Amino acid sequence: MAGELFSYQKAEQLLNPEREEVVPINQVVDLLDLHGNEKVIDLGAGNGYLTIPIAKKTEDRVVAVDIQQEMLEELADRAAEQGLENIDRMPSGIDYLNFPDNSFQRGVAAFVFYEVDQLENALKEIHRVISEEGRLLIMEWEKSGNEEGPPLDVRLPKEALQEKLENAGFSVSNGNLNTNVYYLIAEKEKHFKTIGTDL
């Protein structure tokens, strides 16, 4: 069973300066391996904790996807305050993404997958919209006893999530931001077409 949706009414918690200790923004941006011209999708963007710093690192568009319109409205206000004009907002879940195939060179999903009911479907959909040789960065809570984060019974074990990503067609590596948060780097490998020849 998926975890409970994080309410927009607690959105200010997402911008608490102490969150930097849990999710260091510079480290996240480094893991995305941005070169400055990538189109990025932020899945479960909330009010833009990661969206805004990512938008500052690329000249292309950053699309913030969140199921809660209220979160996206707060994100729009924050982006306007900082003069950012390359952020688009899409109110949507992540199990259906209304974008063409291979639309994004990078994707990020922070503490989102444990909330998703049809996770396998969502991962296939994400794989579809990430371009060849693109990269998806996922962050989730370790299944540890730390009080921070959602209840232990809804957290996704690193190994299980990595297997689901591999089944969706990604090649995956993993690591930890800290003792309570792990990350997975899921890369969409280039598809080589075999060209038949007549003998």
Side-chain angles (χ1 to χ4, degrees):
M1 188 176 79
E4 184 178 347
L5 191 68
F6 188 91
S7 172
Y8 72 89
Q9 294 172 326
K10 298 185 285 185
E12 72 281 351
Q13 294 179 21
L14 298 176
L15 303 177
N16 188 318
E18 294 179 3
R19 196 173 187 217
E20 175 71 17
E21 298 176 16
V22 179
V23 186
I25 289 172
N26 288 339
Q27 188 175 355
V28 170
V29 171
D30 287 346
L31 289 168
L32 277 172
D33 191 30
L34 294 169
H35 301 287
N37 59 350
E38 293 88 358
K39 190 172 184 180
V40 185
I41 186 168
D42 187 351
L43 299 154
N47 53 3
Y49 177 78
L50 293 176
T51 317
I52 285 176
I54 290 170
K56 293 176 180 178
K57 294 291 186 177
T58 183
E59 295 177 5
D60 210 316
R61 311 300 296 176
V62 179
V63 178
V65 176
D66 201 280
I67 203 166
Q68 299 183 84
Q69 179 68 39
E70 296 88 351
M71 286 282 200
L72 294 176
E73 289 171 0
E74 186 172 324
L75 167 56
D77 291 341
R78 295 185 60 233
E81 287 171 4
Q82 299 191 42
L84 291 170
E85 298 180 350
N86 63 332
I87 296 175
D88 300 315
R89 292 164 289 128
M90 171 69 73
S92 173
I94 65 171
D95 52 350
Y96 173 73
L97 298 168
N98 190 22
F99 302 104
D101 295 356
N102 307 309
S103 292
F104 302 95
Q105 290 76 49
R106 295 289 185 272
V108 62
F111 314 113
V112 176
F113 289 161
Y114 79 91
E115 298 177 343
V116 178
D117 284 319
Q118 302 294 325
L119 183 55
E120 287 83 359
N121 292 345
L123 295 179
K124 288 177 184 175
E125 186 71 346
I126 295 165
H127 185 271
R128 181 184 66 77
V129 302
I130 296 290
S131 64
E132 287 189 350
E133 301 182 312
R135 170 177 290 205
L136 171 69
L137 174 64
I138 301 107
M139 286 152 283
E140 286 289 346
W141 302 99
E142 286 280 11
K143 251 189 175 319
S144 64
N146 195 301
E147 292 182 3
E148 190 167 15
L152 287 178
D153 61 342
V154 301
R155 300 188 189 194
L156 296 169
K158 181 192 302 180
E159 297 77 11
L161 182 52
Q162 179 163 340
E163 182 178 356
K164 289 180 186 295
L165 285 157
E166 289 169 348
N167 289 342
F170 289 103
S171 61
V172 185
S173 59
N174 66 64
N176 281 80
L177 294 180
N178 49 63
T179 57
N180 201 29
V181 176
Y182 68 84
Y183 67 82
L184 299 172
I185 295 174
E187 297 187 302
K188 186 172 177 179
E189 297 177 337
K190 187 173 178 62
H191 178 69
F192 293 98
K193 293 182 179 177
T194 302
I195 302 174
T197 55
D198 294 327
L199 297 176

